[in-house]
Amino acid sequence: MKKLTTGLLVLVLSSSIAVAHAQEKKDTVKTKEIEGVVVTALGIKREKKSLGYASQEVKASALSEGTTNTGNIAAQLSGKVAGLNVTTSNNFGGSSNLLIRGVKSLGGGNPLIVIDGSPVNNTYTQEKNVDYGNALSDINQEDIESINVLKGAAASALYGERGLNGVIVITTKNGKGKDDGSWGVTLSSTIQVGFIDKSTFPDYQTRYGAGYSQAFGSKGANGLYNANFGADASWGPKFDPNLLVYQWDSYDPTSPNYGKARPWVAAKNGPITFFQNPATYTNGVTLEKGQKGKNISFTYDNMMSDGLMPNSHLNKNNFSLKVNYDLTPKLHSSFYSTMTLQDTKGRSITGYSDNTVTGFRQWWQTNVDIKEQERAYLQNVANASADNYYGNVSWNRKSATNGSAAYWNNPYFQAYQNYTSDRRFRNFTYAQVTYDLLNNVSVTGKVSYDRSNLFAENRVAVGSIAQAFGRSGNDVASGYSRRDVTRTETNYDLMANYKFDITDNINVSGVVGGNIRRNYFNSVYASTEGGLVVPGIYALSNSVKPTLAPDENEYTLQTNSGYVTASFDFYKMFYLDGTWRVDQSSTLPDGSNVYNYPSVTGSVILSEILKTKDWMNFWKLRANYAEVGGTADPYQLTNYYSSAGIFSGAQGGVGIYSSLLTKANSDLKPQRSKEFEVGTEVHFLRDRITLDFAYYKTKTVNQIITLPVSSGTGFTGKVINAGRIDNTGYEVQLGLVPIKNNDFSWNIDVNWSKNTNKVVDLYPGITNLLLNSFQGGVSLNARVGEAWGTLIGADYVYLNGQRVIDPDTGIYKTNPNQIIGNTTPDWIGGIRNSIKYKGFSLSFLIDIRKGGDVFSTDMYYGMDTGLYKESAIGDYRDKDVILPGVLPDGTPNNIALSQKSTGSNYGYETQPSKEFVYDGSFVKLREASIGYTFPKTLLQGTSIYDLKVSLVGRNLWIIHKNLPHADPEAMIGGGINSYGWSIGSMPTTRDFGVNVTFKF
């Protein structure tokens, strides 16, 4: 390669053109700073150049300064790390799903979260179609110094059975204070407001109103028609302003339209006006002081947020304290504690049933004015009684003479009466002491404790439509339930760190240690039965019928571990690492509950050998092999039964227990993942161009799964070790500095990754494992020979590539149980630009996902009910339709179908689910910010020594997507629910905010 001294560097990257002069003058950054020190497994700090595996660090500034506060730090990793796929739901206070290097377990899986070397809980909680979020949302982002993503098995091998899905290592800030040693005070305040991105909400047709066919039903006074009240669809009569029709509010005594027929026209205020502009207020204060040998930091942060839905509000308070103190020159101590108190009201219902947004997307009348529904609710609930259905005056009344709701509650009654609420307490604390036993040996003891309590309540108000509810799942028109969940994790660690110089140029360092981990879980769910005795009193004692026995679950787990590492440094050019960990799990049987995980990594610094620093200042090759794994969930070894109540007989009460459907397995073994990885890291032109590339191949075997068995055995499923999943992938990180001088700098950071997944086998005779079921006969599956996440449902029947028509009906023939898509994306990536000029800063992030199919239940039903604009193009509804296709004999279809009398020939009644599988690709302007830091000269004479004002934004523009009327990443929750199912999702908001930060 020709040596570059001066010249023009032209960098073209996805419409970004950067022009820069390669400088003759050497940059003043030291090599050690370039290569950096990062925090790895167990909180061990390592020079990045010595690592033989891929990891990627994200600094706090890149996490939070360029975007609005999402309340969940997981969401703010989206588009920033190669190989990390982040799926964020739009649920208020909801989950963000993290996936590193593809799905390795048949049941999915999230990475382990570690704070300052101690694991913490990141459990996703969903209860009765309510997404309570993942526990990472409890972490205060103001405490975070950096996040290092340990991607592969070699990076996470020291976490043994918990390292299967990678590790997210969070490092918290230490107190710094002022240069003079006095206390430093930081005040930060942010206000942000969201505005609905209309491309993620239905664009309704406004030409036809309520009905399943273009005919009115009954007649009211004066021979005028009633609207089709009970039809929750918009395939009805054509709008005509000269036509007077009695509508739902014509029968509401509180309405100004009572007893009146109104012009038959589309509503002025559609469902999009039901939502409010969510506002979030975040205020924080940090007190810190630091000097050599001791520092302290205290942070308080308050977040108050209103959701899109009326009557939704979240109030979260975070307190944290961190102290580092040298008790003696050889004895060092650290203490950190963070506490979160959160109250949430009005979380949105997810999925199909009882979800207001599902109604808006699938079952609605375009003649209904949502603001009139609000008026009806407010005026009737003020004098609630059985006569006015306790305020539930719905657009969807059963008939002119029966005002009870047919299928859907009044949306405002649903929001203000049938709301959920929850309170969450979270505390994570650790205490650590380190003693320098010798100059090259230190011993560390550490105890960490993570506790969370969730108290969640669900209400069905008197007057509601009957729905499945509570312990029994029976349909009731009122009810109350509560869930109490307690989780704790305690870790005891003892480790010795060592470092010895074998020769002047060869040294070895490492750790020898052990860990005891104990997890405790307790959950109690109870509900009323048969409804509420007294309206408005939500208590278990207010039950019409005797309550069933609570659903109780409790377990304690323990894992004992030992580990050893050795890192050899040869002449600062060659590095060789080895680790070994042994785990003993309490959830596996004797003889199989002790197992080990090895890793070996190597790297060579070619730039040191080839002496290329004048044009290539750093070049490393690396390779590794490692094994990690996973243990079983509790109660998988022996059969157990759940109480179903008490049967009262002549001889007294006898306990009733539920049927046992899944057979346990007393011979389980740990699941295991083996990975090989190679990569390289190159820095050109004094870090003006940096490149990191990784290739990996992972094989995961002995999955612990429940496979279906013949019901003739007395069970429907059996727990077994089976299945193999392979993942192969590539990851690229590219850093560019087109311009860099004293006043101006421009950085471009690009990441790209592609993961190829394959389910190699399941079990002899089994080729498919059902993972999740959707409406419309669609399911998510692990299917042998396919990538994990196969969508199976009905497809068309084809003849010579043409869709076949049933000659008896004139509609399409369908072929069930076909592969109709796969949720696995082809690749993901992100492009971040950061520009600084004197005190000004500008940054923006483009987030990209290519591929990954999504089944839209909304379009599947909503096209049939005639809601969407696509269902009323031209004169489609006003004429007979001949569906394109051929008859079974191959001749063109000639069967005409009436649109007026029979209703839609779109949607679920005539088209298979394959028609509503969409490519889930997207390109988003995920983040953007403009900031200004005031010069010190302007702050002289004040107590302020630093002042920054920023305008920030998030989800500002969906540049490209293929899924109509919805956000392709807005799935219904976390975990398995984050894959491939678009149903009743909240619209996405464009969030804008202003942040002001003072430092005193």
Side-chain angles (χ1 to χ4, degrees):
M1 181 174 179
K2 186 177 179 180
K3 181 178 178 181
L4 296 178
T5 55
T6 61
L8 190 65
L9 178 62
V10 182
L11 306 171
V12 182
L13 180 62
S14 185
S15 75
S16 294
I17 300 178
V19 180
H21 288 281
Q23 299 173 341
E24 287 185 350
K25 183 179 179 180
K26 293 183 179 180
D27 292 329
T28 57
V29 182
K30 295 180 180 179
T31 301
K32 187 171 183 179
E33 292 174 342
I34 290 173
E35 292 157 2
V37 175
V38 295
V39 178
T40 63
L42 303 179
I44 301 169
K45 292 183 178 180
R46 296 282 304 275
E47 283 188 272
K48 192 173 187 299
K49 73 173 187 178
S50 70
L51 300 180
Y53 50 77
S55 70
Q56 188 169 346
E57 187 179 49
V58 182
K59 293 292 188 182
S61 58
L63 279 172
S64 56
E65 289 185 4
T67 183
T68 58
N69 191 336
T70 63
N72 190 336
I73 199 65
Q76 290 167 218
L77 286 168
S78 183
K80 296 174 182 174
V81 178
L84 175 63
N85 190 10
V86 182
T87 304
T88 302
S89 74
N90 284 346
N91 303 324
F92 183 53
S95 300
S96 292
N97 195 66
L98 300 173
L99 181 67
I100 300 176
R101 290 188 172 179
V103 174
K104 301 179 183 69
S105 297
L106 289 167
N110 281 323
L112 176 67
I113 307 299
V114 174
I115 296 179
D116 291 343
S118 296
V120 297
N121 171 40
N122 187 34
T123 305
Y124 150 73
T125 303
Q126 183 154 341
E127 174 67 41
K128 305 297 182 184
N129 288 347
V130 179
D131 177 10
Y132 292 101
N134 57 299
L136 192 55
S137 62
D138 296 329
I139 304 303
N140 184 5
Q141 70 180 39
E142 296 302 318
D143 285 348
I144 297 175
E145 179 74 28
S146 66
I147 292 180
N148 194 24
V149 181
L150 306 181
K151 303 175 184 179
S156 59
L158 276 178
Y159 289 106
E161 67 178 31
R162 308 181 88 183
L164 177 65
N165 297 300
V167 182
I168 306 290
V169 176
I170 298 174
T171 302
T172 60
K173 297 175 183 177
N174 292 320
K176 295 179 181 178
K178 294 183 180 180
D179 294 337
D180 61 4
S182 62
W183 284 92
V185 180
T186 300
L187 299 177
S188 178
S189 184
T190 302
I191 300 173
Q192 64 191 56
V193 181
F195 301 89
I196 289 178
D197 182 337
K198 293 183 179 180
S199 73
T200 64
F201 195 70
D203 189 2
Y204 297 106
Q205 59 81 17
T206 56
R207 298 173 61 196
Y208 304 87
Y212 283 106
S213 69
Q214 291 188 42
F216 288 106
S218 63
K219 287 187 177 181
N222 304 319
L224 300 179
Y225 281 109
N226 288 313
N228 295 307
F229 306 118
D232 51 350
S234 293
W235 203 273
K238 199 170 188 176
F239 288 131
D240 180 352
N242 298 313
L243 181 65
L244 297 180
V245 176
Y246 291 106
Q247 300 191 44
W248 66 270
D249 53 351
S250 301
Y251 297 93
D252 175 14
T254 70
S255 171
N257 297 318
Y258 182 60
K260 300 177 183 178
R262 294 190 286 112
W264 185 237
V265 294
K268 178 181 178 181
N269 299 294
I272 199 167
T273 60
F274 172 74
F275 301 104
Q276 57 191 13
N277 294 117
T280 299
Y281 305 89
T282 306
N283 296 283
V285 57
T286 298
L287 306 175
E288 54 184 337
K289 186 177 183 180
Q291 59 189 58
K292 186 177 180 180
K294 54 185 177 181
N295 57 70
I296 183 171
S297 176
F298 171 80
T299 299
Y300 167 68
D301 194 70
N302 170 257
M303 179 180 183
M304 295 184 295
S305 181
D306 296 319
L308 268 171
M309 298 277 279
N311 197 38
S312 58
H313 182 77
L314 181 151
N315 188 7
K316 179 162 62 174
N317 292 282
N318 287 102
F319 305 85
S320 58
L321 173 67
K322 187 173 186 180
V323 180
N324 297 301
Y325 191 81
D326 290 349
L327 300 171
T328 72
K330 288 191 174 185
L331 185 61
H332 320 284
S333 65
S334 295
F335 174 84
Y336 174 75
S337 183
T338 181
M339 180 175 66
T340 301
L341 303 172
Q342 178 174 307
D343 287 328
T344 308
K345 180 180 181 181
R347 292 183 188 268
S348 53
I349 303 296
T350 66
Y352 185 73
S353 298
D354 311 314
N355 180 355
T356 297
V357 186
T358 296
F360 291 162
R361 291 183 178 275
Q362 301 174 21
W363 312 96
W364 184 253
Q365 297 175 359
T366 56
N367 52 284
V368 173
D369 191 303
I370 198 71
K371 290 302 180 183
E372 287 299 311
Q373 279 282 281
E374 181 180 26
R375 179 208 54 75
Y377 165 72
L378 293 174
Q379 292 190 5
N380 281 279
V381 79
N383 298 288
S385 68
D387 293 335
N388 64 2
Y389 309 100
Y390 296 92
N392 188 18
V393 177
S394 173
W395 58 274
N396 190 214
R397 59 187 292 133
K398 290 184 176 179
S399 68
T401 57
N402 186 347
S404 61
Y407 303 109
W408 296 95
N409 293 322
N410 179 305
Y412 291 91
F413 180 89
Q414 182 73 17
Y416 284 97
Q417 300 297 321
N418 292 351
Y419 63 91
T420 65
S421 62
D422 58 272
R423 296 195 300 270
R424 187 156 67 201
F425 166 82
R426 178 77 178 273
N427 172 248
F428 169 68
T429 299
Y430 70 77
Q432 173 181 306
V433 293
T434 299
Y435 184 70
D436 298 329
L437 191 62
L438 302 169
N439 289 335
N440 49 7
V441 178
S442 65
V443 178
T444 298
K446 184 177 185 180
V447 178
S448 66
Y449 181 72
D450 182 20
R451 181 185 182 93
S452 64
N453 295 86
L454 174 67
F455 170 55
E457 299 175 285
N458 201 357
R459 300 163 181 82
V460 176
V462 174
S464 300
I465 296 172
Q467 58 186 265
F469 185 82
R471 283 279 288 121
S472 67
N474 294 330
D475 283 353
V476 293
S478 62
Y480 167 75
S481 69
R482 60 178 289 176
R483 168 78 74 178
D484 297 82
V485 181
T486 299
R487 288 185 173 91
T488 69
E489 176 170 328
T490 307
N491 281 275
Y492 305 91
D493 289 279
L494 181 65
M495 66 181 76
N497 291 266
Y498 65 88
K499 183 175 182 179
F500 296 99
D501 292 331
I502 300 174
T503 70
D504 290 342
N505 296 305
I506 302 174
N507 65 61
V508 60
S509 61
V511 177
V512 178
N515 168 267
I516 298 174
R517 171 171 59 91
R518 291 176 180 164
N519 292 84
Y520 173 77
F521 175 83
N522 184 288
S523 173
V524 180
Y525 175 77
S527 69
T528 59
E529 289 295 331
L532 300 175
V533 178
V534 180
I537 296 180
Y538 296 101
L540 297 176
S541 58
N542 191 31
S543 179
V544 170
K545 296 181 180 180
T547 60
L548 298 181
D551 180 8
E552 299 176 280
N553 190 9
E554 183 180 41
Y555 59 77
T556 301
L557 313 177
Q558 180 163 321
T559 300
N560 303 321
S561 306
Y563 48 83
V564 60
T565 77
S567 302
F568 294 89
D569 174 355
F570 301 90
Y571 295 85
K572 301 297 181 183
M573 298 180 185
F574 305 94
Y575 297 91
L576 180 66
D577 286 21
T579 72
W580 190 276
R581 176 168 174 134
V582 178
D583 286 338
Q584 181 186 45
S585 172
S586 66
T587 60
L588 291 172
D590 290 340
S592 298
N593 66 335
V594 178
Y595 39 90
N596 56 76
Y597 298 107
S599 80
V600 60
T601 72
S603 61
V604 55
I605 313 300
L606 291 177
S607 53
E608 295 287 344
I609 299 172
L610 301 177
K611 307 299 182 184
T612 60
K613 287 193 174 183
D614 52 349
W615 60 275
M616 182 173 62
N617 52 298
F618 183 73
W619 182 18
K620 176 176 72 173
L621 293 179
R622 61 178 185 263
N624 63 71
Y625 173 83
E627 299 182 13
V628 291
T631 189
D633 290 333
Y635 304 127
Q636 302 265 35
L637 304 181
T638 58
N639 297 332
Y640 66 93
Y641 298 85
S642 299
S643 173
I646 301 293
F647 174 75
S648 297
Q651 303 301 319
V654 178
I656 304 173
Y657 293 88
S658 59
S659 299
L660 182 67
L661 300 178
T662 301
K663 182 174 175 56
N665 186 346
S666 60
D667 297 318
L668 285 180
K669 297 178 176 61
Q671 55 186 350
R672 202 170 192 89
S673 184
K674 305 175 182 180
E675 182 176 274
F676 168 74
E677 175 191 323
V678 294
T680 186
E681 183 180 354
V682 191
H683 296 211
F684 295 100
L685 306 176
R686 303 284 175 185
D687 277 8
R688 302 295 288 275
I689 305 174
T690 62
L691 175 68
D692 192 299
F693 170 81
Y695 166 81
Y696 60 88
K697 187 173 182 61
T698 305
K699 178 174 70 174
T700 307
V701 297
N702 281 344
Q703 311 270 312
I704 299 175
I705 57 177
T706 300
L707 279 182
V709 297
S710 170
S711 58
T713 64
F715 302 94
T716 58
K718 180 181 179 180
V719 179
I720 60 171
N721 285 111
R724 170 182 161 186
I725 292 182
D726 288 359
N727 284 274
T728 303
Y730 307 87
E731 296 166 351
V732 178
Q733 302 167 48
L734 177 65
L736 305 171
V737 186
I739 301 173
K740 180 180 180 181
N741 56 45
N742 291 334
D743 292 331
F744 189 88
S745 66
W746 180 10
N747 290 70
I748 304 174
D749 296 297
V750 182
N751 70 80
W752 177 90
S753 59
K754 177 179 177 61
N755 182 81
T756 302
N757 176 283
K758 185 177 181 180
V759 179
V760 178
D761 63 59
L762 290 172
Y763 192 72
I766 302 293
T767 59
N768 191 80
L769 176 65
L770 177 67
L771 302 172
N772 204 358
S773 297
F774 312 153
Q775 271 72 31
V778 178
S779 59
L780 180 74
N781 302 267
R783 194 176 183 94
V784 172
E786 303 287 334
W788 184 98
T790 300
L791 294 174
I792 295 178
D795 197 354
Y796 294 96
V797 174
Y798 297 93
L799 179 63
N800 298 323
Q802 298 291 312
R803 298 171 178 177
V804 177
I805 302 293
D806 187 335
D808 295 327
T809 63
I811 63 176
Y812 293 111
K813 285 193 167 192
T814 60
N815 190 6
N817 299 319
Q818 301 299 301
I819 296 176
I820 58 175
N822 194 285
T823 63
T824 303
D826 299 328
W827 56 266
I828 56 176
I831 306 169
R832 183 182 181 87
N833 282 266
S834 303
I835 299 171
K836 293 183 178 180
Y837 175 68
K838 294 185 177 180
F840 291 94
S841 62
L842 167 69
S843 69
F844 61 92
L845 171 68
I846 305 295
D847 193 2
I848 308 169
R849 182 176 76 191
K850 176 65 171 67
D853 293 321
V854 175
F855 172 66
S856 174
T857 309
D858 298 328
M859 296 297 291
Y860 179 75
Y861 288 123
M863 286 297 290
D864 181 88
T865 59
L867 283 183
Y868 294 100
K869 184 170 287 187
E870 295 91 331
S871 69
I873 297 174
D875 60 351
Y876 176 80
R877 296 198 188 185
D878 301 321
K879 63 180 182 180
D880 290 349
V881 171
I882 299 175
L883 298 178
V886 298
L887 297 172
D889 61 5
T891 60
N893 178 35
N894 58 2
I895 302 173
L897 300 174
S898 169
Q899 294 287 93
K900 289 189 175 184
S901 61
T902 61
S904 172
N905 286 299
Y906 276 143
Y908 76 99
E909 292 185 276
T910 59
Q911 295 174 296
S913 48
K914 167 68 175 179
E915 181 68 29
F916 304 97
V917 173
Y918 299 89
D919 174 21
S921 300
F922 62 77
V923 180
K924 295 186 177 186
L925 177 56
R926 178 72 74 181
E927 300 176 1
S929 71
I930 300 174
Y932 180 68
T933 300
F934 286 77
K936 303 293 185 184
T937 54
L938 290 180
L939 303 177
Q940 288 181 354
T942 71
S943 58
I944 302 171
Y945 76 88
D946 192 64
L947 171 60
K948 183 175 182 179
V949 178
S950 300
L951 301 177
V952 294
R954 185 172 182 82
N955 293 328
L956 298 179
W957 180 22
I958 301 180
I959 302 168
H960 167 78
K961 70 182 180 77
N962 298 307
L963 177 66
H965 309 292
D967 188 331
E969 70 168 333
M971 301 296 103
I972 70 171
I976 207 74
N977 288 323
S978 65
Y979 296 96
W981 190 14
S982 180
I983 177 172
S985 59
M986 300 285 283
T988 297
T989 58
R990 296 185 173 104
D991 298 322
F992 300 86
V994 179
N995 172 265
V996 181
T997 301
F998 299 86
K999 291 186 178 181
F1000 299 92

